[in-house]
Amino acid sequence: MTHLVSVITPVHGPAAPYLADAYSSLAQQEMPPGWDWEWLIQEDGETEDVRPHVPADSRISFDQGRHGRAGMARTMALARARGDLVKVLDADDKLTPGALLRDITVLTEHSGIAWTTSRVLDLLPDGSTVGFEGDPPAGPIAQGAVLERWRTHNYRAQVHPATLCARRDLVTALGGWMALPSSEDTGLLMALNAVSTGWFIGECGLLYRKWPGQSTAQDAHHHEAERQARMKIIEERAEALRKLSAWHL
């Protein structure tokens, strides 16, 4: 029996040309014995801009849907996922060698761990990379630890949601990604940490591409009133889940 990790990628037209690089990084992944990946690409919209860039590989599933931004596209792709694990990979990013192997190893060897994140490097337009200070120690991340630091550090997490790999049943139980214009991945990360223990992988697992067309580079992403609203509902949801989890226990 082959186990699957379902790699979920939302995409819109401007980012579609980067799918080739994402695929190359995925195709080169070393997998544990008995494991394979499936790649679920979901276009945010119904255009002819993305399909020509989808690689020909039987492990790839492509679909389209009404425009609703990345959160909706991710969750619609989740409906097609067959894997026990769900891995995030944005269309313009690249996995590093061994990323999936490390995620799967942690989640299969530690039954109490529900999700992983890893170190990330910014990939700049000239091909150079830039790291970050302040990564947590490699190993377990206690329930609530990411949420607490995020809320006390201007809503900036010490781990990157673009590196997330999580157990599919828990992602589904939490409703997938939040219905937000952006930060939907942060919303899921905070929800996961509110109810479960994670793990930080110290090796770099992702090259996070910086380019003018990415959503986080747009002015709307930094609109202060919208940002405050996004952070407020992310925090309230995570806190409600934390209280519910504590009550249940």
Side-chain angles (χ1 to χ4, degrees):
M1 177 179 178
T2 299
H3 297 279
L4 286 175
V5 55
S6 299
V7 181
I8 290 182
T9 298
V11 62
H12 67 325
Y18 292 115
L19 286 172
D21 283 349
Y23 173 67
S24 178
S25 74
L26 187 53
Q28 295 176 44
Q29 291 296 303
E30 176 188 358
M31 302 299 290
W35 280 83
D36 202 354
W37 53 262
E38 62 173 2
W39 193 17
L40 309 175
I41 302 173
Q42 181 78 23
E43 181 181 356
D44 177 29
E46 298 171 291
T47 73
E48 298 302 320
D49 298 334
V50 174
R51 192 183 299 272
H53 297 278
V54 176
D57 189 313
S58 61
R59 296 170 292 182
I60 298 175
S61 168
F62 172 70
D63 204 355
Q64 300 170 298
R66 289 181 288 170
H67 176 65
R69 303 194 68 83
M72 190 171 81
R74 295 180 198 273
T75 302
M76 290 301 291
L78 180 63
R80 311 198 311 273
R82 298 177 295 144
D84 295 328
L85 305 179
V86 171
K87 174 68 174 176
V88 170
L89 177 60
D90 288 349
D92 48 2
D93 294 341
K94 299 196 296 183
L95 298 175
T96 62
L100 292 184
L101 175 63
R102 292 187 289 270
D103 288 330
I104 293 168
T105 298
V106 169
L107 290 167
T108 54
E109 293 185 357
H110 301 273
S111 59
I113 302 299
W115 51 273
T116 66
T117 57
S118 64
R119 185 166 182 258
V120 62
L121 295 176
D122 277 350
L123 177 61
L124 304 182
D126 64 2
S128 62
T129 57
V130 177
F132 301 89
E133 296 182 359
D135 285 338
I141 300 176
Q143 181 177 344
V146 176
L147 175 62
E148 183 59 28
R149 191 183 188 282
W150 174 79
R151 74 195 336 166
T152 58
H153 287 75
N154 195 30
Y155 300 112
R156 296 187 182 278
Q158 76 271 44
V159 296
H160 206 303
T163 68
L164 181 68
C165 186
R167 300 189 188 277
R168 185 192 190 280
D169 55 358
L170 183 53
V171 173
T172 303
L174 293 172
W177 287 264
M178 293 186 74
L180 294 171
S182 60
S183 306
E184 77 290 335
D185 53 355
T186 297
L188 177 58
L189 174 64
M190 296 307 152
L192 285 165
N193 183 236
V195 301
S196 61
T197 302
W199 189 284
F200 181 73
I201 297 171
E203 295 91 343
C204 177
L206 187 77
L207 298 180
Y208 182 81
R209 190 187 302 272
K210 294 284 192 176
W211 62 288
Q214 66 189 136
S215 61
T216 53
Q218 307 310 305
D219 290 342
H221 181 73
H222 303 283
H223 186 276
E224 187 56 29
E226 183 195 280
R227 179 178 183 272
Q228 289 181 9
R230 297 196 315 263
M231 299 306 110
K232 181 176 184 291
I233 195 60
I234 289 172
E235 183 175 8
E236 288 182 353
R237 178 202 193 201
E239 183 60 26
L241 286 166
R242 185 192 67 79
K243 291 178 179 177
L244 183 62
S245 175
W247 174 83
H248 179 71
L249 294 174

